[in-house]
Amino acid sequence: MLKLGPYSLPNPYILAPMAGVSERPFRVIAFRLGAALCPTELVSAQGLMRQNQRTLKYLRYDAAVEKPYSLQIFGGEPEAMAQAAQVGKAAGAQLIDINMGCPVKKVVRNGAGSGLLCDVPRAAAIVSAIREATGLPVTCKIRSGWDARTLNYLQVAEALQEAGCAGLALHPRTREQGYSGQANWAHIADLKRHFPELPIIGNGDVKTVADAHRMLDSTGCDFVMIGRGALGNPWLFRELTGGPPATPEERCDLVLEHARAHAEFVGDPLGAVRSFRRHLAWYAHGLKGAAHFRSEVNGLDSPEAVEDSVRRFFAGADTDPTAPLEEPEVDYRAALG
């Protein structure tokens, strides 16, 4: 049985928390298409602790769909993280996930994200403080180390397990690598060998059904976390659970549904159109005429115009066999202000 803390999950496939991407509308879509868990994008502990209204908006979730509701927070101080987790619990969070992997300087310079890999006792103290303050299961997401000379993921895992971590996700790149180079899945296998009783979530370079199966088979990890591979293709979760890929009609309907949900979530029509453009680029990736479609929607400024453009493009769009395999990059700084 697949479990994280007290929660049984229906399958081993998890949507990665991505800043500016893993908002409520996208999480709900991923859940509906088969994802077993969809943590929120990283949310500032300081913002939650201070009841910052902009930060509190990140807590919005769909209680009917998001089961369990996993809130990812970032910060460097145990007391602040514990207080933030209490705010999250009051808002409905059932799992608290700690970001110990974000490589962005704005996060790291405050001792948060992957900066915690350089202070293992403090990382463990954060887990303990949150568990004591909330009673909720705590999971963590880490990297292999700060750089190639300090691959300390086993040391970090040992300390976090002793502190009561209920599950550990490993993105096997270093902070120095950022999102470049290749994820070293051997680190995931090594982690699972050393900690067989700890639920291990593998992450990194999973773009297809075959990739996900290969990660499970080759590393022995319990769960697979999928990030950029799901951008524009949330149907990947359906395929992983035995369902078919999207038809052109399904793709069109879901893009329109996502656009409307995003507009409602943002609350500002023009702002929603602008922030949804990147999703449209991801949805169009690999389809014939994608470049022209992206150029067109980048010039639109109303939800109605976007809907018309989406209907024209996606209803009959076919796969472009000449499209490059690389998916668009995510700007992980987008939600950090």
Side-chain angles (χ1 to χ4, degrees), residues 149-171:
R149 298 172 297 281
T150 56
L151 300 177
N152 64 341
Y153 58 93
L154 294 179
Q155 178 191 358
V156 174
E158 181 177 15
L160 297 181
Q161 184 182 50
E162 290 178 357
C165 179
L168 185 62
L170 174 62
H171 182 159

PDB file of all heavy atoms in Angstrom, residues 149-171:
ATOM      1  N   ARG A 149      30.901  18.707  -4.844  1.00  0.00           N
ATOM      2  CA  ARG A 149      31.851  18.382  -3.775  1.00  0.00           C
ATOM      3  C   ARG A 149      31.156  18.123  -2.438  1.00  0.00           C
ATOM      4  O   ARG A 149      31.796  17.670  -1.494  1.00  0.00           O
ATOM      5  CB  ARG A 149      32.875  19.530  -3.620  1.00  0.00           C
ATOM      6  CG  ARG A 149      33.723  19.751  -4.861  1.00  0.00           C
ATOM      7  CD  ARG A 149      34.582  20.996  -4.759  1.00  0.00           C
ATOM      8  NE  ARG A 149      33.763  22.203  -4.654  1.00  0.00           N
ATOM      9  CZ  ARG A 149      33.166  22.802  -5.686  1.00  0.00           C
ATOM     10  NH1 ARG A 149      33.299  22.295  -6.901  1.00  0.00           N
ATOM     11  NH2 ARG A 149      32.454  23.892  -5.517  1.00  0.00           N
ATOM     12  N   THR A 150      29.873  18.443  -2.364  1.00  0.00           N
ATOM     13  CA  THR A 150      29.157  18.291  -1.091  1.00  0.00           C
ATOM     14  C   THR A 150      27.847  17.536  -1.310  1.00  0.00           C
ATOM     15  O   THR A 150      26.767  18.069  -1.055  1.00  0.00           O
ATOM     16  CB  THR A 150      28.875  19.670  -0.459  1.00  0.00           C
ATOM     17  OG1 THR A 150      28.151  20.474  -1.410  1.00  0.00           O
ATOM     18  CG2 THR A 150      30.154  20.369  -0.074  1.00  0.00           C
ATOM     19  N   LEU A 151      27.956  16.321  -1.775  1.00  0.00           N
ATOM     20  CA  LEU A 151      26.763  15.488  -1.986  1.00  0.00           C
ATOM     21  C   LEU A 151      26.369  14.864  -0.653  1.00  0.00           C
ATOM     22  O   LEU A 151      26.787  13.761  -0.307  1.00  0.00           O
ATOM     23  CB  LEU A 151      27.047  14.413  -3.036  1.00  0.00           C
ATOM     24  CG  LEU A 151      27.438  14.910  -4.433  1.00  0.00           C
ATOM     25  CD1 LEU A 151      27.757  13.730  -5.347  1.00  0.00           C
ATOM     26  CD2 LEU A 151      26.331  15.764  -5.039  1.00  0.00           C
ATOM     27  N   ASN A 152      25.534  15.564   0.105  1.00  0.00           N
ATOM     28  CA  ASN A 152      25.225  15.138   1.474  1.00  0.00           C
ATOM     29  C   ASN A 152      23.780  14.680   1.655  1.00  0.00           C
ATOM     30  O   ASN A 152      23.222  14.746   2.749  1.00  0.00           O
ATOM     31  CB  ASN A 152      25.533  16.269   2.451  1.00  0.00           C
ATOM     32  CG  ASN A 152      24.655  17.508   2.236  1.00  0.00           C
ATOM     33  OD1 ASN A 152      24.072  17.681   1.163  1.00  0.00           O
ATOM     34  ND2 ASN A 152      24.569  18.362   3.248  1.00  0.00           N
ATOM     35  N   TYR A 153      23.158  14.181   0.571  1.00  0.00           N
ATOM     36  CA  TYR A 153      21.752  13.800   0.668  1.00  0.00           C
ATOM     37  C   TYR A 153      21.507  12.684   1.681  1.00  0.00           C
ATOM     38  O   TYR A 153      20.450  12.638   2.315  1.00  0.00           O
ATOM     39  CB  TYR A 153      21.195  13.423  -0.710  1.00  0.00           C
ATOM     40  CG  TYR A 153      21.914  12.299  -1.421  1.00  0.00           C
ATOM     41  CD1 TYR A 153      21.482  10.985  -1.304  1.00  0.00           C
ATOM     42  CD2 TYR A 153      23.035  12.550  -2.215  1.00  0.00           C
ATOM     43  CE1 TYR A 153      22.132   9.944  -1.956  1.00  0.00           C
ATOM     44  CE2 TYR A 153      23.690  11.526  -2.875  1.00  0.00           C
ATOM     45  CZ  TYR A 153      23.249  10.231  -2.743  1.00  0.00           C
ATOM     46  OH  TYR A 153      23.900   9.208  -3.393  1.00  0.00           O
ATOM     47  N   LEU A 154      22.468  11.786   1.858  1.00  0.00           N
ATOM     48  CA  LEU A 154      22.285  10.716   2.846  1.00  0.00           C
ATOM     49  C   LEU A 154      22.336  11.278   4.265  1.00  0.00           C
ATOM     50  O   LEU A 154      21.547  10.879   5.127  1.00  0.00           O
ATOM     51  CB  LEU A 154      23.357   9.639   2.660  1.00  0.00           C
ATOM     52  CG  LEU A 154      23.290   8.836   1.358  1.00  0.00           C
ATOM     53  CD1 LEU A 154      24.437   7.821   1.310  1.00  0.00           C
ATOM     54  CD2 LEU A 154      21.945   8.126   1.221  1.00  0.00           C
ATOM     55  N   GLN A 155      23.234  12.197   4.503  1.00  0.00           N
ATOM     56  CA  GLN A 155      23.324  12.839   5.822  1.00  0.00           C
ATOM     57  C   GLN A 155      22.048  13.625   6.117  1.00  0.00           C
ATOM     58  O   GLN A 155      21.503  13.567   7.227  1.00  0.00           O
ATOM     59  CB  GLN A 155      24.534  13.775   5.869  1.00  0.00           C
ATOM     60  CG  GLN A 155      24.682  14.530   7.189  1.00  0.00           C
ATOM     61  CD  GLN A 155      25.719  15.643   7.113  1.00  0.00           C
ATOM     62  OE1 GLN A 155      26.362  15.833   6.073  1.00  0.00           O
ATOM     63  NE2 GLN A 155      25.856  16.394   8.187  1.00  0.00           N
ATOM     64  N   VAL A 156      21.583  14.352   5.121  1.00  0.00           N
ATOM     65  CA  VAL A 156      20.350  15.129   5.292  1.00  0.00           C
ATOM     66  C   VAL A 156      19.176  14.194   5.565  1.00  0.00           C
ATOM     67  O   VAL A 156      18.378  14.420   6.483  1.00  0.00           O
ATOM     68  CB  VAL A 156      20.070  15.988   4.038  1.00  0.00           C
ATOM     69  CG1 VAL A 156      18.716  16.678   4.162  1.00  0.00           C
ATOM     70  CG2 VAL A 156      21.174  17.025   3.830  1.00  0.00           C
ATOM     71  N   ALA A 157      19.076  13.116   4.798  1.00  0.00           N
ATOM     72  CA  ALA A 157      17.972  12.174   4.963  1.00  0.00           C
ATOM     73  C   ALA A 157      17.971  11.548   6.358  1.00  0.00           C
ATOM     74  O   ALA A 157      16.911  11.378   6.969  1.00  0.00           O
ATOM     75  CB  ALA A 157      18.054  11.081   3.900  1.00  0.00           C
ATOM     76  N   GLU A 158      19.143  11.200   6.849  1.00  0.00           N
ATOM     77  CA  GLU A 158      19.228  10.596   8.184  1.00  0.00           C
ATOM     78  C   GLU A 158      18.702  11.546   9.246  1.00  0.00           C
ATOM     79  O   GLU A 158      17.919  11.162  10.129  1.00  0.00           O
ATOM     80  CB  GLU A 158      20.669  10.203   8.496  1.00  0.00           C
ATOM     81  CG  GLU A 158      20.827   9.537   9.849  1.00  0.00           C
ATOM     82  CD  GLU A 158      22.253   9.089  10.114  1.00  0.00           C
ATOM     83  OE1 GLU A 158      23.177   9.535   9.391  1.00  0.00           O
ATOM     84  OE2 GLU A 158      22.449   8.279  11.047  1.00  0.00           O
ATOM     85  N   ALA A 159      19.117  12.825   9.161  1.00  0.00           N
ATOM     86  CA  ALA A 159      18.674  13.804  10.149  1.00  0.00           C
ATOM     87  C   ALA A 159      17.177  14.060  10.049  1.00  0.00           C
ATOM     88  O   ALA A 159      16.476  14.188  11.066  1.00  0.00           O
ATOM     89  CB  ALA A 159      19.443  15.113   9.955  1.00  0.00           C
ATOM     90  N   LEU A 160      16.667  14.124   8.829  1.00  0.00           N
ATOM     91  CA  LEU A 160      15.240  14.391   8.652  1.00  0.00           C
ATOM     92  C   LEU A 160      14.395  13.212   9.108  1.00  0.00           C
ATOM     93  O   LEU A 160      13.321  13.392   9.694  1.00  0.00           O
ATOM     94  CB  LEU A 160      14.950  14.716   7.183  1.00  0.00           C
ATOM     95  CG  LEU A 160      15.618  15.978   6.625  1.00  0.00           C
ATOM     96  CD1 LEU A 160      15.210  16.190   5.172  1.00  0.00           C
ATOM     97  CD2 LEU A 160      15.271  17.206   7.461  1.00  0.00           C
ATOM     98  N   GLN A 161      14.867  12.003   8.847  1.00  0.00           N
ATOM     99  CA  GLN A 161      14.134  10.823   9.312  1.00  0.00           C
ATOM    100  C   GLN A 161      14.082  10.794  10.831  1.00  0.00           C
ATOM    101  O   GLN A 161      13.027  10.512  11.427  1.00  0.00           O
ATOM    102  CB  GLN A 161      14.779   9.557   8.778  1.00  0.00           C
ATOM    103  CG  GLN A 161      14.014   8.284   9.143  1.00  0.00           C
ATOM    104  CD  GLN A 161      14.692   7.020   8.653  1.00  0.00           C
ATOM    105  OE1 GLN A 161      15.888   6.833   8.874  1.00  0.00           O
ATOM    106  NE2 GLN A 161      13.954   6.164   7.973  1.00  0.00           N
ATOM    107  N   GLU A 162      15.190  11.085  11.479  1.00  0.00           N
ATOM    108  CA  GLU A 162      15.224  11.107  12.943  1.00  0.00           C
ATOM    109  C   GLU A 162      14.295  12.179  13.506  1.00  0.00           C
ATOM    110  O   GLU A 162      13.749  12.033  14.600  1.00  0.00           O
ATOM    111  CB  GLU A 162      16.654  11.323  13.427  1.00  0.00           C
ATOM    112  CG  GLU A 162      17.566  10.129  13.191  1.00  0.00           C
ATOM    113  CD  GLU A 162      19.002  10.386  13.641  1.00  0.00           C
ATOM    114  OE1 GLU A 162      19.284  11.529  14.087  1.00  0.00           O
ATOM    115  OE2 GLU A 162      19.827   9.458  13.541  1.00  0.00           O
ATOM    116  N   ALA A 163      14.109  13.268  12.733  1.00  0.00           N
ATOM    117  CA  ALA A 163      13.234  14.355  13.177  1.00  0.00           C
ATOM    118  C   ALA A 163      11.763  14.038  12.944  1.00  0.00           C
ATOM    119  O   ALA A 163      10.891  14.791  13.394  1.00  0.00           O
ATOM    120  CB  ALA A 163      13.605  15.651  12.456  1.00  0.00           C
ATOM    121  N   GLY A 164      11.487  12.926  12.240  1.00  0.00           N
ATOM    122  CA  GLY A 164      10.104  12.508  12.039  1.00  0.00           C
ATOM    123  C   GLY A 164       9.540  12.779  10.663  1.00  0.00           C
ATOM    124  O   GLY A 164       8.312  12.758  10.482  1.00  0.00           O
ATOM    125  N   CYS A 165      10.408  12.987   9.680  1.00  0.00           N
ATOM    126  CA  CYS A 165       9.948  13.215   8.315  1.00  0.00           C
ATOM    127  C   CYS A 165       9.152  12.003   7.820  1.00  0.00           C
ATOM    128  O   CYS A 165       9.588  10.860   7.948  1.00  0.00           O
ATOM    129  CB  CYS A 165      11.154  13.464   7.416  1.00  0.00           C
ATOM    130  SG  CYS A 165      10.770  13.731   5.683  1.00  0.00           S
ATOM    131  N   ALA A 166       7.972  12.256   7.232  1.00  0.00           N
ATOM    132  CA  ALA A 166       7.088  11.171   6.793  1.00  0.00           C
ATOM    133  C   ALA A 166       7.339  10.732   5.362  1.00  0.00           C
ATOM    134  O   ALA A 166       6.804   9.707   4.923  1.00  0.00           O
ATOM    135  CB  ALA A 166       5.632  11.605   6.934  1.00  0.00           C
ATOM    136  N   GLY A 167       8.129  11.477   4.631  1.00  0.00           N
ATOM    137  CA  GLY A 167       8.424  11.139   3.244  1.00  0.00           C
ATOM    138  C   GLY A 167       9.430  12.136   2.698  1.00  0.00           C
ATOM    139  O   GLY A 167       9.421  13.312   3.088  1.00  0.00           O
ATOM    140  N   LEU A 168      10.294  11.670   1.791  1.00  0.00           N
ATOM    141  CA  LEU A 168      11.372  12.526   1.310  1.00  0.00           C
ATOM    142  C   LEU A 168      11.454  12.462  -0.209  1.00  0.00           C
ATOM    143  O   LEU A 168      11.599  11.387  -0.790  1.00  0.00           O
ATOM    144  CB  LEU A 168      12.701  12.071   1.923  1.00  0.00           C
ATOM    145  CG  LEU A 168      13.930  12.932   1.618  1.00  0.00           C
ATOM    146  CD1 LEU A 168      13.745  14.348   2.160  1.00  0.00           C
ATOM    147  CD2 LEU A 168      15.182  12.295   2.230  1.00  0.00           C
ATOM    148  N   ALA A 169      11.355  13.627  -0.841  1.00  0.00           N
ATOM    149  CA  ALA A 169      11.521  13.732  -2.292  1.00  0.00           C
ATOM    150  C   ALA A 169      12.941  14.186  -2.590  1.00  0.00           C
ATOM    151  O   ALA A 169      13.444  15.120  -1.962  1.00  0.00           O
ATOM    152  CB  ALA A 169      10.516  14.721  -2.870  1.00  0.00           C
ATOM    153  N   LEU A 170      13.572  13.515  -3.542  1.00  0.00           N
ATOM    154  CA  LEU A 170      14.928  13.882  -3.940  1.00  0.00           C
ATOM    155  C   LEU A 170      14.948  14.269  -5.403  1.00  0.00           C
ATOM    156  O   LEU A 170      14.588  13.483  -6.278  1.00  0.00           O
ATOM    157  CB  LEU A 170      15.896  12.714  -3.712  1.00  0.00           C
ATOM    158  CG  LEU A 170      17.332  12.944  -4.233  1.00  0.00           C
ATOM    159  CD1 LEU A 170      17.989  14.130  -3.526  1.00  0.00           C
ATOM    160  CD2 LEU A 170      18.174  11.679  -4.059  1.00  0.00           C
ATOM    161  N   HIS A 171      15.377  15.503  -5.665  1.00  0.00           N
ATOM    162  CA  HIS A 171      15.695  15.954  -7.019  1.00  0.00           C
ATOM    163  C   HIS A 171      17.209  15.808  -7.146  1.00  0.00           C
ATOM    164  O   HIS A 171      17.954  16.600  -6.569  1.00  0.00           O
ATOM    165  CB  HIS A 171      15.274  17.410  -7.201  1.00  0.00           C
ATOM    166  CG  HIS A 171      15.524  17.944  -8.576  1.00  0.00           C
ATOM    167  ND1 HIS A 171      14.872  19.034  -9.077  1.00  0.00           N
ATOM    168  CD2 HIS A 171      16.371  17.541  -9.567  1.00  0.00           C
ATOM    169  CE1 HIS A 171      15.295  19.286 -10.305  1.00  0.00           C
ATOM    170  NE2 HIS A 171      16.213  18.402 -10.612  1.00  0.00           N
TER     171      HIS A 171
END
